[in-house]
Amino acid sequence: MSWTDERVDVLKKMWGEGQSASQIAKELGGVTRNAVIGKVHRLGLSNRAGSGGAAKTAAPKAAAKPKAPAKPKAAPKKAAKEEIQEPRTESASPPPQPKLPHARRQIIPAGQPLPPQPSANEISPEALAKVNEVEKTAKKISLMELTEKTCKWPVGDPATDQFWFCGLNVQQGKPYCEAHVGVAFQPMSSRRDRRR
DNA sequence: CCCTGATTCGC
DNA sequence: GCGAATCAGG
């Protein structure tokens, strides 16, 4: 596959939306995430920030990279050195789309085998909000569609057909997606043992 | 281990 | 220009 206009377009769009390189690669098909990233760089839109910013996983790395290759697979040539990078102040990036802060609380029929919802009053509002968001965009997969990589967070009442599993990509290792991990695994904070 | 993006460099 | 390999961080 080559980078046709349309494909580049999709790339730009998705990258602008904050999609990950791998996601974009999957979407486009025929390319790996490396290809996507490489293209992104060549297009000059490496960082999605731009405004004065604070790039979390980008900036501070730009420097010399003294490799000590134990695998002389390629002759370590000294490539042209990039002098000083000019932090262009371009603002061609599309404005982020803040979701409406709908505090829509959905009353769940409270089955029994509901996920470990630790007294839903001490969960950080942040996490809850996030979960609510997620449940809107969840893939809503069935039991049999669960895989090692799908969030296994159940939603709805198992007794009704209004039941499904989140199905989003799991956070890594964990059984839930990031959002659900947030409410499922509450750190042991705010749980002060006021007893006694 | 999974994932991310960043960089290098042979092609 | 392209992207695999690699690096570096979470």
Side-chain angles (χ1 to χ4, degrees):
Chain A
M1 279 307 233
S2 57
W3 287 106
T4 63
D5 246 23
E6 297 167 32
R7 289 165 66 76
V8 172
D9 210 63
V10 174
L11 165 59
K12 287 180 181 173
K13 182 171 179 294
M14 293 183 76
W15 185 260
E17 292 174 0
Q19 302 276 20
S20 70
S22 60
Q23 285 182 302
I24 298 174
K26 273 192 298 181
E27 175 67 30
L28 291 172
V31 288
T32 63
R33 74 183 195 90
N34 280 313
V36 171
I37 292 175
K39 185 59 179 177
V40 163
H41 281 225
R42 267 170 258 127
L43 286 173
L45 31 75
S46 40
N47 54 51
R48 321 192 205 209
S51 316
K56 3 180 156 187
T57 57
K61 290 185 200 165
K65 180 186 286 185
K67 292 184 186 176
K71 307 168 70 175
K73 178 182 281 186
K77 289 182 188 174
K78 280 300 178 182
K81 287 185 179 179
E82 286 301 303
E83 290 301 324
I84 304 171
Q85 283 264 21
E86 275 311 309
R88 47 217 75 161
T89 331
E90 48 190 279
S91 53
S93 46
Q97 300 171 9
K99 312 275 179 159
L100 298 182
H102 271 159
R104 228 358 329 215
R105 296 292 279 103
Q106 175 184 337
I107 299 179
I108 41 184
Q112 273 76 42
L114 280 183
Q117 294 187 1
S119 31
N121 57 41
E122 301 207 3
I123 305 180
S124 67
E126 300 275 324
L128 279 177
K130 195 163 190 179
V131 168
N132 278 314
E133 281 296 321
V134 167
E135 289 183 9
K136 293 178 197 165
T137 176
K139 291 166 67 177
K140 302 185 180 180
I141 63 178
S142 70
L143 176 61
M144 292 180 296
E145 294 175 291
L146 288 175
T147 75
E148 302 286 314
K149 293 178 178 160
T150 58
C151 177
K152 300 170 183 57
W153 187 274
V155 178
D157 192 326
T160 73
D161 55 359
Q162 302 296 303
F163 181 66
W164 60 78
F165 289 91
C166 174
L168 263 34
N169 290 308
V170 295
Q171 179 56 31
Q172 282 173 273
K174 306 193 181 65
Y176 308 123
C177 64
E178 183 183 355
H180 287 133
V181 163
V183 296
F185 301 124
Q186 276 300 309
M188 60 287 101
S189 56
S190 75
R191 213 260 178 41
R192 284 298 71 105
D193 231 59
R194 13 175 131 28
R195 270 229 181 158
R196 181 183 326 93

